[in-house]
Amino acid sequence: MMRFRNFDAGVRAVELSVADAGQDYAVSGWVDYAAHLGYATIDARGERSLIAWSADAISSHPSADPTPPLPPPGLDADAAEWTTSDLVPDASRLHAALSVVLSLTSDRPDNPLLLQQTDARWLREETVGDVAVDVIAGPTSDTPYDPESGTADDGSDAVLRYWIDGSGLLHRAEVRLGGSGEWTAVEFDEAPGVAFADAFLGAGR
C-alpha cells in the first residue's frame, strides 16, 4: 500500500545524504512517482548542481541555487547545458540511492498475502515529527521465507526499512548500500503545487 500511496500522491519532497567514493552528496528536491522522474539540487562540499533522473538515466545542469528552480532551466534555449549519462546503481552509491528512491512506487497495491509469506517484519512504533509511524523491514526476496535459507527471521538482514503512517504514506526510508552495514536515510514530505515532469518530458528528456 505504501508504494501505491506514493504513486497516488504524485510528487513528494525528498532529501538524502550519501557518501560515494570519498565524497559526501546532499540531495534535496522532489520525486514525481506517477511520472517516474526525480529532480533535485545536489551539493558536494558547497559545489551545487541540478540533477534530473529516471530509472535508467541521470542528467546534470550547473546551478548555484540551493533550491531547484521551477520550471527547470535550460530545457529550450540552453538545453546543451544539460549533460546526460546512464544511471548505474551497481557502480555508484549515489546512483543506487537515487534508483531506490525512484523505485518506491507502484500503480497498484502489492498482494498482502504474498508479502506476509516473505521475511518482511514489523520492527517498532516511532514518530517522524509529530506523525506516528510503524517501522517495517522490507523483504530480502519476493519469494516465501525459507527457514533453511540462512536469512534471519527478525528483519535484521533487510536492506530497506520504511517509516509508514497509518494511511500507508511513507515518511522515511533507510537503505543499506554496498554491503557496508551503514544505513542511508531518505526523508519524504508533501510537495503541494510542485510540478516539473511535463517540462522534462516535453523537452524529450
Side-chain angles (χ1 to χ4, degrees), residues 173-195:
E174 287 186 345
V175 55
R176 187 152 49 187
L177 299 171
S180 66
E182 297 180 359
W183 293 92
T184 295
V186 185
E187 305 290 340
F188 294 90
D189 206 345
E190 297 179 353
V194 174

Side-chain angles (χ1 to χ4, degrees), residues 130-147:
D130 59 356
V131 179
V133 295
D134 290 291
V135 184
I136 309 293
T140 58
S141 171
D142 290 335
T143 60
Y145 173 67
D146 179 2

Side-chain angles (χ1 to χ4, degrees), residues 111-201:
N111 186 328
L113 297 179
L114 296 178
L115 185 62
Q116 288 172 8
Q117 298 175 22
T118 71
D119 59 348
R121 293 292 182 267
W122 178 91
L123 299 179
R124 59 187 180 273
E125 294 179 346
E126 280 191 13
T127 57
V128 177
D130 59 356
V131 179
V133 295
D134 290 291
V135 184
I136 309 293
T140 58
S141 171
D142 290 335
T143 60
Y145 173 67
D146 179 2
E148 303 299 323
S149 66
T151 301
D153 66 357
D154 60 359
S156 59
D157 288 333
V159 296
L160 277 165
R161 300 190 298 214
Y162 310 99
W163 278 249
I164 305 171
D165 71 17
S167 74
L169 191 63
L170 181 66
H171 290 260
R172 176 183 298 151
E174 287 186 345
V175 55
R176 187 152 49 187
L177 299 171
S180 66
E182 297 180 359
W183 293 92
T184 295
V186 185
E187 305 290 340
F188 294 90
D189 206 345
E190 297 179 353
V194 174
F196 60 87
D198 287 348
F200 284 111
L201 297 174

